[in-house]
């Protein structure tokens, strides 16, 4: 079918136009394909506006109720899949208004009194993000619960801790998992913070300057569960910092998930063999029959890039815009929708991966026997028992490590004679700090990795987060 190169003049804003839009103009201008996702918020906002217009006497009770019923019917039509979205009507606001006119006639036009699409879209978008904040918070909490439950099985599971990806000091796997519980806890608190700042109502700001009608912005704000109306009409229609803040916290949360994914990917390799991901979250290779690829975790890692890009997109869209509204701001929705969908999927996927994850506790333990991982414990022993400054202790311990390295044995296998050849003050109670179990058990400072601490930390985490 040949697409007409021009469409009819808009019945909603076309009064001063004699010619319709070019087809390509329509293509660049329309947003209905994506902003239809705002339908519920759009109708909710319209109903609150209508209730207020009735209350202050701008709309009669009768007309107002006809409008409210029409809006309910449209909501029902959309939710039951019967509503036909029309590209010629640009966006969700005009699609709803036009259907309202079909349903109830000219009175529909009264709904736009004391309102503009500029304050309308800003309101819809805030409401949509607010809902998403709540949803993301819930799935994040579920992931935290999964991590805490897993940690409880691994309070005593010893593994190497790494810095620079080099063997550093022994830790417990439970402690490792709780690190992510903390990060996700901060992600949740960022969500709560963003929600507080976002929770002001733009509706009633009009196109940019407010309105000459005696509206009650507090009433609308309250009905929509906002804390208050936005204090400045220009700000209300022209800033998208709430969307930027939301994208920022999504990006940060995605980076957390990406790093967790990265450790798991590394640990599934034959070289590490610390963990096994279930069949449900891995794939095989079409050529190499032995393979079990951690695709799900790799995609979580990769999708963080997409989300970071979306934050960047909106920052760039916004950075040069003069006050107040510009159509550039229609480009705010796709990055936010996509980032939200992506993060939700990543969180749910990570929850499944962790639920199913089996841990090779023996391999974790076994790998702590290499890499002189308890060297710091020897240095600490010198400080405690011989009462020398840590710097000197570090130096002597370095010599001990070198001796073990030359003899191709680990620290636990050195004899007292070996050790005394480096420093004659060493006594045989040094052996009590050489095992990895002793090492983790000794890390009892607040926030440390000892099983005692982890047990208490699990209890605290349940109280703080679940
Ligand atoms: N679809 C538009 C958007 O998303 C709605 C606001 C249109 N306002 C205007 N002045 N053209 O931004």
């Amino acid at each position: 079918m040949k697409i007409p190169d021009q469409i009819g003049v808009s019945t909603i804003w076309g009064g001063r136009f004699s010619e319709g839009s070019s087809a390509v103009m329509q293509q660049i201008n329309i947003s209905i394909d994506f902003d239809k996702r705002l339908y519920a918020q759009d109708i909710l906002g319209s109903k609150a506006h209508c209730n207020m217009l009735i209350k202050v006497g701008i709309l009669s009770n009768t007309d107002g109720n006809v409008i409210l019923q029409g809006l309910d019917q449209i909501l029902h039509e959309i939710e039951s899949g019967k509503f036909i979205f029309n590209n010629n009507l640009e966006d969700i606001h005009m699609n709803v208004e036009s259907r309202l006119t079909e349903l109830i006639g000219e009175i529909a036009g009264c709904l736009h009194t004391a309102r503009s699409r500029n304050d309308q879209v800003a309101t819809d978008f805030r409401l949509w993000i607010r809902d998403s904040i709540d949803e993301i918070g819930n799935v994040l909490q579920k992931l935290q619960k999964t991590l805490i439950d897993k940690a409880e099985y691994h309070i005593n599971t010893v593994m190497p801790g790494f810095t620079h990806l080099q063997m550093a000091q022994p830790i417990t796997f439970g402690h490792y998992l709780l690190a992510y519980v903390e990060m996700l806890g901060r992600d949740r608190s960022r969500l709560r913070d963003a929600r507080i700042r976002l929770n002001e109502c733009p509706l009633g700001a009009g196109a940019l300057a407010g309105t000459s009608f005696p509206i009650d912005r507090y009433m609308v704000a309250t009905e929509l569960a906002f804390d208050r109306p936005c204090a400045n009409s220009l700000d209300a229609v022209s800033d998208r910092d709430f969307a930027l803040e939301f994208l920022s916290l999504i990006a940060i949360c995605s980076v957390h998930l990406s790093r967790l994914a990265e450790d798991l990917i590394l640990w599934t390799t034959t070289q590490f063999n610390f963990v096994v991901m279930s069949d449900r979250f891995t794939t095989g290779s079409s050529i190499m029959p032995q393979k079990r690829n951690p695709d799900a975790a790799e995609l979580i890692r990769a999708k963080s890039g997409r989300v970071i890009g979306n934050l960047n997109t909106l920052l760039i869209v916004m950075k040069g815009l003069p006050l107040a509204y510009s159509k550039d701001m229609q480009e705010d929705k796709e990055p936010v929708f996509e980032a939200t969908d992506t993060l939700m999927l990543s969180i749910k996927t990570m929850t499944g991966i962790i639920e199913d994850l089996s841990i090779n506790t023996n391999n974790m333990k076994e790998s702590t026997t290499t890499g002189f991982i308890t060297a710091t414990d020897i240095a600490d022993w010198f400080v405690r028992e011989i009462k020398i400054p840590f710097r000197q202790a570090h130096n002597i311990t370095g010599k001990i490590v070198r001796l073990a390295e030359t003899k191709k044995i680990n620290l636990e296998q050195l004899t007292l004679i070996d050790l005394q050849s480096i420093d004659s003050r060493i006594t045989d109670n040094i052996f009590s700090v050489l095992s990895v179990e002793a090492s983790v058990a000794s890390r009892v400072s607040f926030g440390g990795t000892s099983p005692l601490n982890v047990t208490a930390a699990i209890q605290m985490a349940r109280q703080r987060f679940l």
Side-chain angles (χ1 to χ4, degrees):
M1 195 185 74
K2 192 176 176 306
I3 302 166
D5 64 2
Q6 192 168 315
I7 56 164
V9 176
S10 167
T11 51
I12 292 183
W13 48 252
R16 56 108 70 219
F17 285 69
S18 52
E19 220 187 337
S21 307
S22 125
V24 74
M25 164 61 187
Q26 185 198 40
Q27 223 179 336
I28 196 169
N29 197 33
I30 59 172
S31 55
I32 187 63
D33 289 340
F34 50 87
D35 69 15
K36 60 170 72 145
R37 283 184 76 163
L38 299 174
Y39 76 89
Q41 292 75 17
D42 194 69
I43 291 173
L44 199 68
S46 285
K47 287 177 72 175
H49 184 65
C50 184
N51 281 327
M52 182 276 292
L53 293 179
I54 299 171
K55 149 102 186 308
V56 302
I58 296 173
L59 267 180
S60 72
N61 250 320
T62 328
D63 288 354
N65 283 322
V66 172
I67 291 174
L68 290 172
Q69 277 165 20
L71 289 168
D72 279 336
Q73 166 152 359
I74 294 170
L75 182 65
H76 176 75
E77 286 176 3
I78 296 176
E79 287 187 332
S80 58
K82 293 201 189 89
F83 190 92
I84 299 160
F85 291 99
N86 182 349
N87 280 351
N88 293 336
L89 297 166
E90 284 184 34
D91 58 24
I92 183 64
H93 325 295
M94 309 230 292
N95 267 268
V96 170
E97 185 179 329
S98 162
R99 178 69 185 138
L100 192 62
T101 311
E102 279 172 18
L103 289 172
I104 65 171
E106 289 301 317
I107 311 163
C110 299
L111 178 61
H112 217 52
T113 311
R115 181 178 83 167
S116 145
R117 271 191 294 159
N118 296 352
D119 54 347
Q120 193 180 353
V121 73
T123 306
D124 293 2
F125 203 28
R126 281 185 193 236
L127 289 172
W128 191 91
I129 291 181
R130 196 176 69 184
D131 290 345
S132 301
I133 283 177
D134 296 342
E135 273 172 51
I136 294 172
N138 288 339
V139 291
L140 273 180
Q141 188 184 40
K142 178 136 190 277
L143 176 53
Q144 283 183 301
K145 180 176 187 307
T146 306
L147 290 163
I148 294 170
D149 290 349
K150 199 75 163 186
E152 195 157 40
Y153 283 100
H154 296 286
I155 294 172
N156 293 298
T157 303
V158 175
M159 64 176 287
F162 303 90
T163 62
H164 313 264
L165 197 52
Q166 307 283 317
M167 293 269 187
Q169 292 173 350
I171 58 171
T172 56
F173 185 54
H175 194 56
Y176 172 89
L177 293 171
L178 292 183
Y180 277 96
V181 172
E182 291 298 321
M183 294 180 225
L184 301 179
R186 285 193 299 279
D187 290 332
R188 283 177 64 199
S189 91
R190 267 183 283 275
L191 282 165
R192 287 193 293 271
D193 290 347
R195 197 185 196 287
I196 291 170
R197 270 183 294 280
L198 161 151
N199 210 30
E200 295 183 343
C201 184
L203 212 57
L208 74 165
T211 174
S212 56
F213 291 98
I215 59 171
D216 183 349
R217 293 194 58 206
Y218 283 89
M219 179 182 165
V220 178
T222 306
E223 181 167 337
L224 296 174
F226 285 113
D227 294 326
R228 63 193 78 83
C230 298
N232 179 294
S233 63
L234 290 171
D235 171 47
V237 295
S238 68
D239 203 2
R240 293 292 182 267
D241 60 350
F242 61 91
L244 288 170
E245 191 171 355
F246 180 57
L247 281 174
S248 310
L249 67 85
I250 287 184
I252 294 171
C253 182
S254 301
V255 168
H256 287 154
L257 296 182
S258 178
R259 293 185 69 184
L260 176 54
E262 166 60 15
D263 273 339
L264 297 179
I265 291 164
L266 209 55
W267 295 348
T268 57
T269 58
T270 320
Q271 290 87 337
F272 274 90
N273 200 6
F274 283 1
V275 298
V276 181
M277 287 183 198
S278 73
D279 289 359
R280 304 194 317 144
F281 291 97
T282 48
T283 63
S285 154
S286 56
I287 176 170
M288 297 163 283
Q290 84 283 10
K291 290 292 285 291
R292 174 198 283 283
N293 295 326
D295 291 26
E298 290 171 300
L299 288 165
I300 290 172
R301 186 175 61 184
K303 280 175 191 297
S304 64
R306 180 190 286 256
V307 164
I308 293 162
N310 289 357
L311 166 61
N312 212 12
T313 297
L314 189 56
L315 283 168
I316 295 167
V317 166
M318 294 304 296
K319 79 170 193 52
L321 296 186
L323 292 195
Y325 178 87
S326 298
K327 194 65 172 251
D328 307 55
M329 279 148 63
Q330 179 164 285
E331 293 284 312
D332 59 359
K333 290 166 207 68
E334 284 169 293
V336 168
F337 291 157
E338 190 192 44
T340 306
D341 294 343
T342 305
L343 180 66
M344 287 289 284
L345 183 60
S346 293
I347 297 169
K348 287 178 188 167
T349 307
M350 184 56 88
T351 306
I353 291 175
I354 300 288
E355 263 164 11
D356 285 12
L357 197 68
S358 28
I359 315 302
N360 292 334
T361 52
N362 287 339
N363 289 348
M364 281 184 170
K365 169 78 201 296
E366 188 56 33
S367 81
T368 61
T369 58
T370 59
F372 313 113
I373 200 164
T374 52
T376 316
D377 298 276
I378 299 181
D380 289 350
W381 181 89
F382 274 103
V383 172
R384 225 174 17 247
E385 304 291 324
I386 315 290
K387 314 229 179 309
I388 57 174
F390 183 79
R391 282 285 156 247
Q392 277 176 33
H394 184 287
N395 194 271
I396 299 165
T397 308
K399 294 192 173 115
I400 295 174
V401 169
R402 192 163 54 193
L403 178 65
E405 202 168 25
T406 326
K407 294 188 135 205
K408 297 195 178 4
I409 56 178
N410 59 45
L411 296 171
E412 267 178 289
Q413 292 166 316
L414 289 168
T415 63
L416 186 59
I417 313 262
D418 289 335
L419 292 165
Q420 286 174 338
S421 74
I422 307 274
D423 191 304
S424 60
R425 292 169 295 184
I426 297 177
T427 62
D428 67 358
N429 86 346
I430 198 169
F431 290 105
S432 67
V433 303
L434 289 183
S435 79
V436 286
E437 284 82 3
S439 172
V440 294
S442 74
R443 297 290 190 286
V444 290
S445 59
F446 182 78
T449 195
S450 87
L452 264 180
N453 288 46
V454 174
T455 307
I458 286 172
Q459 223 185 345
M460 300 229 313
R462 288 214 164 99
Q463 276 169 20
R464 288 160 62 211
F465 300 120
L466 303 185

